[in-house]
Amino acid sequence: MSRVNDVGGQTGFGPVVPEENEPVFHADWEARVYALNVSLVRRGVYSLDEFRDAVERMPPQEYLAASYYERWLHAIEELTGGAGGADG
């Protein structure tokens, strides 16, 4: 079954326009989410495959409205029982 993130070959999303001199992170919280994910994977809390699956399981409306690192945060919460998780 195709998920919302699987847009290969689809049209209607417009061109990808790279941001000139784009910073690695646009806000401090993005860097913290990145570091948190790296730490949790290295500690074996979850695998990269589990993380990717959690991102891809986001409801389509939420996935399309979220930024890149908002999707990461959602996956972390799902996998750790945080605010967006089953226990949160």
Side-chain angles (χ1 to χ4, degrees):
M1 173 160 79
S2 182
R3 294 179 176 174
V4 68
N5 66 299
D6 185 15
V7 295
Q10 293 186 20
T11 60
F13 289 95
V16 174
V17 181
E19 182 180 330
E20 191 171 330
N21 300 315
E22 182 174 10
V24 176
F25 302 106
H26 288 86
D28 289 343
W29 72 267
E30 293 178 340
R32 289 192 294 271
V33 167
Y34 176 86
L36 179 60
N37 187 52
V38 169
S39 177
L40 292 169
V41 169
R42 285 184 180 168
R43 291 175 182 259
V45 174
Y46 52 79
S47 70
L48 281 176
D49 287 338
E50 291 169 316
F51 172 75
R52 183 176 50 248
D53 182 64
V55 170
E56 294 173 1
R57 282 187 282 114
M58 286 180 71
Q61 300 83 356
E62 290 179 33
Y63 182 92
L64 293 172
S67 71
Y68 186 75
Y69 286 105
E70 286 173 334
R71 293 174 188 152
W72 280 40
L73 181 57
H74 172 87
I76 292 168
E77 290 173 341
E78 285 291 322
L79 293 166
T80 62
D87 298 332

